[in-house]
Amino acid sequence: MTMMKTARIHEYGDASAIRHDSVPRPRPAFGDVLVHVAATSFNPTEAALRAGLLHAFLPVDLPHALGWDVAGTVAEIGAGVEGFAVGDRVVGRLDDGGAAAEYVRAPAAVLVAAPASVPLAHAAALPVAGLTAWQAVFEHGKVAAGQRVLVNGAGGGVGGFVTQLAAYAGAEVIATAGPRSTEAVLRQGADQVIDYTAGPVGAALDGPVDILLNLVPLGPPDAAALAPLVRPGGRIVSIATPIEPAADSGVSAMHMVARNDVAHLAALVELVDAGAVGIDISESRPLADLAEVHRLSEAGRIRGKVLIVP
C-alpha cells in the first residue's frame, strides 16, 4: 500500500487542530482522476471551515482533508473518463477538499487544462478566488466599459482578480487597500487606490460609483457608510457582509456565494495565457506550514494568494 502525506482536521478548533497524517494514496473511482498535486492555495474561508464556523451550511465528515484549490498533473485515470491523459497539467476547484496532500482524487468534470504560461503550482491560486471574482464582476456586477467600480478589499486574493477583471472590462477601477498592497493593486489595473486605514472611503471618493464590489467583512457602521456611495440605479455585490442600501435609493444589492463552474474557470485560464490576467503569488509555503498560514490569516497578515506545496 502506497502512503502519502496530507493535512487534515479531526475536530473543529484553532489552527492547532490541523494534523499532518500519513494515509493510503487514493485510487480514482468512476469518473475520477488521480492528481499528483503541484500545489493548493490558502483561502481564508478554509480557516472558517476549520474553526467550525461553516458547519451549518457546509458540513464535512471528519477527519477532513483541507484544500479546495488544486493544480497538478494527472497520475491515474478512472473508468468513464474521457479527454484526459496521464501527465496532463490540470487545475480545478474541489468542493470536497483534499488538495492539501501529495495526491488527490478529483472528479474529472471539475478539472480544466492549466494555464501554459505560468508555473503549474501558481495555477492553484486561480480556482476559488478566480471563480468568485469572475462571477462577482461579470455575472452579478455586470461590469462594463465606462462604468465606475469601487472594489472594497482589493488587496486580498479575490481582490486581485476582481481588480484585473474589472479593468479588463474597461471600467474605471477605484480600489481600497492598505499601504502594503497599494503597489500591487495599481499593477493589477486600479486607476485609484484609497488607503482605507487613513479615513472614511467616501471622503476620498470623487463622486458616486456605478458598482460597489465588497470583498471584506464589515461592521454595521462601515457597511452603512458604503451604501450611499453608489448612484441611483447602481448595484452592490458583496461576497462577505451583506450591504443593504436605503429602500428609496434605487440601488440593487445582493450577497453572492461563488459556484464551481468549469466554463468560467476555462475562460480565466484563457485570460491568463493571453496575458490579460496575472496570478499574484505573495509567497509559497510547504504543507508543514499550513497551520501557521491559518494563524497569519486570522491575524490579518496575509496579502494576496499563498501557495501550499506538498
Side-chain angles (χ1 to χ4, degrees), residues 33-36 38 71-77 83-91 103 112-114 120:
V33 300
L34 183 68
V35 177
H36 186 194
T73 54
V74 174
E76 192 175 344
I77 298 175
F84 290 99
V86 171
D88 283 352
R89 293 161 39 107
V90 295
V91 61
Y103 290 84
V112 301
L120 180 57

Side-chain angles (χ1 to χ4, degrees), residues 11 15 17 29 45 58 67 82 115 125 128 153 187 191 193 195 206 211 227 229 233 240 258 303 306:
E11 59 188 5
T45 43
L58 189 62
E82 298 180 354
V128 170
R187 286 196 307 269
D191 298 285
V193 178
D195 180 0
D206 181 19
I211 301 167
L229 305 181
R303 186 196 71 77
V306 176

Side-chain angles (χ1 to χ4, degrees), residues 263-282:
H264 291 170
L265 184 56
L268 282 163
V269 168
E270 287 186 10
L271 289 182
V272 171
D273 278 338
V277 170
I279 300 177
D280 179 21
I281 305 299
S282 61

Side-chain angles (χ1 to χ4, degrees), residues 71-290:
T73 54
V74 174
E76 192 175 344
I77 298 175
V81 174
E82 298 180 354
F84 290 99
V86 171
D88 283 352
R89 293 161 39 107
V90 295
V91 61
R93 175 180 129 176
L94 306 182
D95 291 336
D96 292 330
E102 293 180 280
Y103 290 84
V104 65
R105 182 171 55 204
V110 304
L111 301 175
V112 301
S117 59
V118 299
L120 180 57
H122 287 203
L126 196 57
V128 170
L131 286 171
T132 303
W134 180 280
Q135 291 163 22
V137 171
F138 295 123
E139 189 169 74
H140 303 298
K142 304 186 190 314
V143 174
Q147 293 178 323
R148 299 188 81 213
V149 178
L150 175 60
V151 180
N152 189 46
V158 175
F161 289 119
V162 166
T163 299
Q164 292 182 81
L165 291 174
Y168 174 77
E172 177 189 353
V173 180
I174 303 152
T176 73
R180 66 176 179 168
S181 301
T182 297
E183 289 186 11
V185 173
L186 287 170
R187 286 196 307 269
Q188 288 162 346
D191 298 285
Q192 177 188 355
V193 178
I194 296 174
D195 180 0
Y196 68 87
T197 69
V201 172
L205 193 63
D206 181 19
V209 299
D210 299 294
I211 301 167
L212 165 62
L213 302 175
N214 177 60
L215 314 176
V216 294
L218 300 168
D222 291 328
L226 285 178
L229 305 181
V230 183
R231 66 164 179 80
R235 288 183 297 280
I236 298 173
V237 178
S238 181
I239 70 167
T241 308
I243 298 177
E244 297 296 337
D248 60 352
S249 67
V251 174
S252 64
M254 71 162 297
H255 175 256
M256 64 158 282
V257 176
R259 69 182 185 281
N260 204 345
D261 190 309
V262 292
H264 291 170
L265 184 56
L268 282 163
V269 168
E270 287 186 10
L271 289 182
V272 171
D273 278 338
V277 170
I279 300 177
D280 179 21
I281 305 299
S282 61
E283 61 178 319
S284 179
R285 295 274 195 133
L287 187 61
D289 286 356
L290 183 56

